[in-house]
Amino acid sequence: MDVMPVSDLSHAAQNYLKLIWSATEWSPAPITVSVMAERLGVRPSTVSDGIKKLAGQGLVTHAPYGSIELTDAGRAHAVAMVRRHRLLETFLVDVLGYSWDEVHDEAEVLEHTVSDTLIDRMDRKLGHPVRDPHGDPIPGADGRPSMPKGTQLSAAAAGNTVAITRISDADPQMLRYFTELGLAPDTRLTVTEHRPYADVTTVRVHEPERDIDLGASASDAIWVVAV
Amino acid sequence: MDVMPVSDLSHAAQNYLKLIWSATEWSPAPITVSVMAERLGVRPSTVSDGIKKLAGQGLVTHAPYGSIELTDAGRAHAVAMVRRHRLLETFLVDVLGYSWDEVHDEAEVLEHTVSDTLIDRMDRKLGHPVRDPHGDPIPGADGRPSMPKGTQLSAAAAGNTVAITRISDADPQMLRYFTELGLAPDTRLTVTEHRPYADVTTVRVHEPERDIDLGASASDAIWVVAV
DNA sequence: CAAATTTGTTCGTTAAGCCTAACATTTAAG
DNA sequence: CTTAAATGTTAGGCTTAACGAACAAATTTG
């Protein structure tokens, strides 16, 4: 079985591959059937069937009750889907004036139906961007791997001054909250303190100078690099 | 059964409705099952089943072996699909640098998956265009009917000076030929003569001044209005 | 106008992707 | 370490949109 173009995979297969890949982008733990089912809004039995089929196509390795791992071919498809998704998000924001909390769902649908040509033209129009509106790295057309990842704000040492490099796009409502706070990719801030049992991280941001308290979910969603 | 949004119809149903509507946009003859099957690349039995289902949903009227007619609800959906298609084509050409012979297939896929929001944003970005790159009228968001239609070049009286108002997008190869000849919407020309048995229409175009002979398929694909 | 041809319809089947229910395995708790 | 709980798998069905084969109706032709 040859390398097949993205378009030869069913939408469901594309989603499975992207999700498996995404699970390991920011944390090392491999994904499970039930987590996949929950994220995709389907039953575990559906995912179990789907994974079996992907394994038959040589896109993942999986023995019953075993872990789910992408093959090289599967990873290539997954990365291509991620590239599509993130270029679309960038295009919707930069060209069509979407806000960063609106783009995820639209991109989720379009990533399956736009042609490679359209992806290339968007990429060119945008000047070959390397990050999407949430700061997530956009893989190149050759599937080149991601940029440096940074660490979660919740794990950054107190006292350090850092720049936001990405903010997880999982929760649009949280994104709107960050917009209100003036937190976005490239915002610089100083980590004031972590208060462990309250699960609160306090940061200081400039212009205007202010202190912000962030709970665990917020400080896990924000990734930073030292500046 | 209430008026349902476009997105609640299957892609197949959307295509059926659009095709039925399109058949009567430029010629009065209603469409047949076999023509639909041929255009959609499926078997007549598939179309026959599909039409029956649309009739059950109140989107077309059709008795077995009878003619196929859109209901008001069906027409509204069809026009919404046509609007989507033509706005997409316009967007791809104006914003992403597609040529007019490339856009049809891309729009054909995307029209089923873009959100109403995206359609609105493209429409705004484009300044609410009223014609697509082939000159076809773009229905408004309210489904307002089309612009004046003009007549086929093959039916324009010799001696008249006219402007091209639309060129059928059915055949990309023919569109590339027209590009070479410098024929596009809004090009002005004078009809020199029709030679009936040769099925050739000769027209004179300015800048640079030149005579062009067009066969029947070409002069049927071009629609003109008096200037 | 009767026969032949074309056109349209019905019906049984297939494939994908989902479901529920029943069952199997693994992991966690007592 | 054994049982209970959680997780994963299999089996059987449903729906949609396609197909081909067989049949029905309408149209064209001789």
Side-chain angles (χ1 to χ4, degrees):
Chain A
M1 195 174 293
D2 280 44
V3 175
M4 60 180 84
V6 163
S7 51
D8 282 6
L9 290 170
S10 71
H11 292 188
Q14 290 171 358
N15 281 332
Y16 288 148
L17 295 174
K18 183 163 66 96
L19 182 52
I20 296 166
W21 186 88
S22 301
T24 57
E25 185 178 14
W26 305 107
S27 77
I31 200 164
T32 65
V33 169
S34 48
V35 169
M36 287 185 67
E38 202 250 312
R39 295 271 190 90
L40 295 167
V42 299
R43 297 295 173 172
S45 60
T46 305
V47 173
S48 191
D49 282 351
I51 295 294
K52 190 159 61 167
K53 212 168 145 205
L54 287 179
Q57 293 172 102
L59 297 168
V60 303
T61 56
H62 177 63
Y65 302 99
S67 67
I68 300 165
E69 310 272 2
L70 291 170
T71 63
D72 288 347
R75 184 160 28 247
H77 285 299
V79 169
M81 292 311 298
V82 170
R83 171 174 162 78
R84 287 167 161 258
H85 184 91
R86 293 182 182 169
L87 271 175
L88 278 161
E89 288 195 342
T90 308
F91 185 83
L92 293 173
V93 168
D94 288 5
V95 176
L96 284 170
Y98 275 69
S99 56
W100 68 336
D101 57 285
E102 291 179 313
V103 290
H104 182 84
D105 291 349
E106 188 89 47
E108 198 73 19
V109 175
L110 290 177
E111 65 191 13
H112 302 296
T113 55
V114 297
S115 69
D116 286 342
T117 300
L118 183 46
I119 290 291
D120 288 346
R121 302 233 180 177
M122 290 192 311
D123 185 40
R124 193 188 315 162
K125 170 109 187 164
L126 295 167
H128 311 290
V130 298
R131 291 200 298 168
D132 77 9
H134 314 99
D136 287 320
I138 300 174
D142 55 359
R144 102 182 110 71
S146 309
M147 315 157 44
K149 301 166 36 161
T151 54
Q152 282 165 301
L153 176 55
S154 55
N160 281 2
T161 294
V162 297
I164 294 178
T165 187
R166 76 172 287 256
I167 297 183
S168 167
D169 66 349
D171 181 352
Q173 201 177 328
M174 188 179 285
L175 293 179
R176 285 191 285 279
Y177 179 59
F178 289 145
T179 301
E180 274 175 40
L181 294 175
L183 298 179
D186 296 327
T187 300
R188 289 176 180 228
L189 48 84
T190 301
V191 182
T192 309
E193 69 165 328
H194 296 289
R195 274 182 285 145
Y197 294 106
D199 273 335
V200 167
T201 298
T202 305
V203 299
R204 170 155 301 174
V205 189
H206 307 272
E207 289 172 56
E209 178 136 325
R210 60 208 188 274
D211 287 329
I212 297 174
D213 287 339
L214 295 168
S217 58
S219 60
D220 283 345
I222 296 175
W223 294 69
V224 298
V225 288
V227 293
Chain B
M1 193 174 296
D2 280 45
V3 174
M4 61 179 84
V6 162
S7 51
D8 282 6
L9 290 169
S10 71
H11 292 190
Q14 290 172 358
N15 281 332
Y16 288 148
L17 294 174
K18 182 162 67 94
L19 181 51
I20 296 165
W21 185 88
S22 300
T24 56
E25 185 179 16
W26 305 107
S27 77
I31 200 164
T32 65
V33 169
S34 49
V35 169
M36 288 185 67
E38 203 250 311
R39 295 271 190 90
L40 295 167
V42 299
R43 296 295 172 174
S45 59
T46 305
V47 174
S48 190
D49 283 351
I51 295 294
K52 191 160 60 168
K53 210 168 147 208
L54 288 180
Q57 293 173 101
L59 298 168
V60 303
T61 56
H62 176 63
Y65 302 99
S67 67
I68 300 165
E69 311 272 1
L70 292 170
T71 63
D72 288 346
R75 186 162 23 250
H77 285 299
V79 170
M81 292 311 298
V82 169
R83 170 174 162 80
R84 287 166 161 258
H85 183 92
R86 293 182 183 170
L87 271 176
L88 277 161
E89 288 195 341
T90 307
F91 185 83
L92 293 173
V93 168
D94 288 5
V95 176
L96 285 169
Y98 275 69
S99 56
W100 69 336
D101 57 286
E102 291 178 312
V103 291
H104 182 83
D105 292 350
E106 188 91 45
E108 197 73 20
V109 176
L110 291 177
E111 65 190 12
H112 301 296
T113 55
V114 297
S115 69
D116 286 343
T117 300
L118 183 45
I119 290 290
D120 288 347
R121 302 233 179 175
M122 290 192 310
D123 185 40
R124 191 188 317 163
K125 169 106 186 165
L126 294 167
H128 310 289
V130 298
R131 290 200 298 168
D132 77 8
H134 313 99
D136 287 320
I138 300 174
D142 54 0
R144 103 184 106 73
S146 310
M147 315 158 42
K149 302 167 37 161
T151 54
Q152 281 165 301
L153 176 55
S154 56
N160 281 4
T161 293
V162 296
I164 294 177
T165 188
R166 75 172 288 256
I167 298 183
S168 167
D169 65 350
D171 180 354
Q173 202 176 330
M174 189 179 286
L175 292 179
R176 285 192 287 279
Y177 178 60
F178 289 145
T179 301
E180 274 176 39
L181 293 175
L183 297 180
D186 295 327
T187 300
R188 288 175 181 229
L189 48 82
T190 303
V191 182
T192 311
E193 68 165 328
H194 296 290
R195 277 181 283 145
Y197 293 107
D199 274 336
V200 167
T201 298
T202 305
V203 298
R204 170 155 299 174
V205 189
H206 307 272
E207 291 173 54
E209 179 137 324
R210 60 209 188 272
D211 287 328
I212 297 174
D213 287 338
L214 296 168
S217 58
S219 59
D220 283 345
I222 297 175
W223 293 67
V224 297
V225 288
V227 293

